[in-house]
Structure formats: C-alpha cells, structure tokens
Amino acid sequence: STWGHFPPCSPLGPLAAPMSSGSSSGGALNGLWWLGFIFSVSAQLVGIIGNQLVKYAHNQNEARSEERRIKSWKQPVWVTGMFMITVLNTSLNLAAFAFAAQSLLATFGSVSLLWNLIVAKVFTREKPSVFEYCGTVVALVGVTLCAVFGPRVTSDYNLSKLSWLYQQTPFVVYAVILAVWMAALFFLKDRNVPFKRFCNGAFPGCCGGLTALFSKSTVELIKSASRGGRDFSSPIAYAILGAAIASAVMQIVFLNRCLKRYDPLYVVPIYQSSLLLTSAVTGTIYFQDYKVQSAVSLALFPTGVAITLVALVIFGLHRAPNAHVIVPPADSETPSPDDSDPAAKDDDSGGHGSRDDRKDDRKDDRRDEHKSNRKDDRRD
C-alpha cells in the first residue's frame, strides 16, 4: 500500500512524504455501493417526512392565539419530526458512508426532490406548479449525470490519509471559496433582498455538505479503529468528530429556522440542491476522486454538477407569491393568516373553479364571524 509507511495515528505522518490518493482497487467494502444507495434513499425519505412534520408543527402552533402557543419541544409532532431528522436520517446516512463514496452518495440524494413533491402533497395538500415540476426535472437530469459518471470506488482511509488530504492545495483553495460563499449566504439571508429565500434555503444545505465530509471522515476513522488502528489516540480524530457534530447542529438549527419562515415545497428543493452540490464537490475535491475517473467521467460529472447548479439558481430566483409561510387553520376558531395576506389569498384562489371559490368564501365568512365574536368578547 502507498499509505503503509505512515504511522496510523501520527498527525505528522502525512507531512513526511508525498502520497497518492485512493487507489482504484478500493477498500474492503468496495462493490457494495448499492447498499449505500439503499441507506441513502431511505435517509432522504425519512428526512423529508421529518421536515414536513416539523413544518406542520410550526404551522399548527402559529395558528393558535398568542396565549395558547407552546414551545416547540412540547409538541409531539415537532419532537417526532426532529427525531427523524436528527437520529434516523443521520444514522442511515452514516451507514451509507461506509459503503459508497461521498460524491456518489450526494447524487443519490436527488431522490429527495421527488420525495419532496410526493410527501408535500400528502401532508399539506400543496399543489406544485409546472415550474416546480420542471425545476425538479432539471435537477434530476443533473444529478443523474453525476450518478452515472461519478466515482463508484471507495477506499479505506485512516487518520494519516485523512490528515494529508485536508492539507492539499486544491482542497485548501476550495475551502476558502466555500467559506466566502457561506459567509455571503449568512449575511444576506436576513436582508431585504430578492433572493432572501434562496439564501435561507442554501445556507443549511452548505452546512449539510460539510456535515457529509466530516461524517464520512468519522466513519472512516471508525472503520480503521475496527481493523485495529489507533486513530482515536490522536486529538485530530476528536477534532474531526467535533466538526461533524458542529456542522450537523448548524444544519439543523438553520434548516429549522428556514422551515418556520417558508413552505417546504419551495425551500426544500433549494436546500436539497445546495446540499447535493456542496457534498458532491467537496467529496470529489477532498477525496481526489478525479484522479481515478476516466476522461469521459471527468467531462460529464462536472456537467451534471453544473446542471444541478442551474436548477438551484432557478429555484432561488423564482419568487412565488405564496413563498412565505402559509399556516392552515388548526380548528374552527382559528383565523387563517390569509386574512392578513390578501395577495396570497388571491393567488391561491385564482386557479380554482367556482365551486372552490364558493367554499373559500364560506370559510372566509366563518373566520370573519369568529374574529368578530372574539373581538366582542375581549371588549366585554
């Protein structure tokens, strides 16, 4: 092995001599990438359902009067959704990292775009427009190219290999560019700019890309330790583990805030596209997958990434009139936020037939009556 002359737990080993990236022969689990696919697709479905449950809990809580609102952690639906996102989704993703390359697993995440359309329709009865369908198809074309022409070989790594890869010039340059990009998203996500919704969805996606990198590194360290390595005797191993936890917390916190403000149907595709793109590019550059790819793959894999980026930008620049949070009434005494957002109401009713219009009018009349009664009670 080209790595054999480096001590498995020495952080200075990678500086001692040059070394090549992973070999085409792969590691002990090479060839089982299809297991990674199963775990990854399952993780996407669990995560999408968790997102919808969290959003539903936020909607229900916002629909209550001010004095009846409760903390998020006291809502069983919110707790269930966060458990699916933080525990089940994370566990399945970690299992997938053991069997497939990070850049390849990132492309498998394209299935989540389909899950998002299906699950959103089931949970909230949201009706995707032609634009959402077309944008999803564009993203799927891009990630399908990535899946077909992306790397299918995953090697075994120990701490010496991982430390050396973190110090390589291409990755250092990329890390600086990614840091500037994430800083811009963080600064603009709370500013009054036309692409504010895009920034809110893309930032946690970038955090998720870093989570994928550090999680993959952590899984490789665990695999190395299971083979008798002493990687966890070095503080660098715990630094990588801490970075994985920190990036995961940032991903969850900012995704949770994003879901409070916008509908999943509009921000989840932005979040997932950003996650796929960041994870794929980061994995390719860090693990140097480009060194074991053919000329055709080197041409078509970046093409797929570029198409995915186009889909991400399209989603971000599209300003749907009802892109802000729309809260369904929790019960018959709760007014709809549509009363305070006439533009959203006009948009929602504009595409339905006369029967739906009459139903909406009757619901509005009942809500107005309830509002009037509550005002009278407060005056009394």
Side-chain angles (χ1 to χ4, degrees), residues 56-76 260 325-331 333-337 340 374:
Y56 180 78
H58 286 316
N59 288 350
Q60 293 293 86
N61 204 33
E62 290 294 325
R64 298 185 179 98
S65 58
E66 189 71 27
E67 60 275 8
R68 293 177 57 197
R69 291 178 184 174
I70 60 178
K71 298 291 185 181
S72 296
W73 57 270
K74 293 183 178 180
Q75 302 176 63
K260 281 185 177 181
V325 58
I326 300 176
V327 183
D331 50 49
E333 358 181 280
T334 304
S336 168
S340 60
R374 281 199 302 275

Side-chain angles (χ1 to χ4, degrees), residues 187-207:
F187 177 78
L188 294 173
K189 69 182 182 64
D190 295 320
R191 299 298 188 274
N192 188 21
V193 292
F195 41 88
K196 177 179 180 180
R197 178 169 57 93
F198 166 80
C199 296
N200 276 270
F203 183 77
C206 291
C207 295

Side-chain angles (χ1 to χ4, degrees), residues 139-160:
L140 288 177
V141 169
V143 294
T144 298
L145 281 176
C146 293
V148 173
F149 297 99
R152 293 180 178 271
V153 175
T154 180
S155 301
D156 291 330
Y157 299 89
N158 57 23
L159 184 58
S160 292

Side-chain angles (χ1 to χ4, degrees), residues 334-342 345 363-364 367-368 371:
T334 304
S336 168
D338 286 349
D339 294 329
S340 60
D341 190 2
K345 183 192 301 181
K363 289 180 181 178
D364 292 341
R367 284 196 293 265
D368 292 339
K371 288 175 63 178

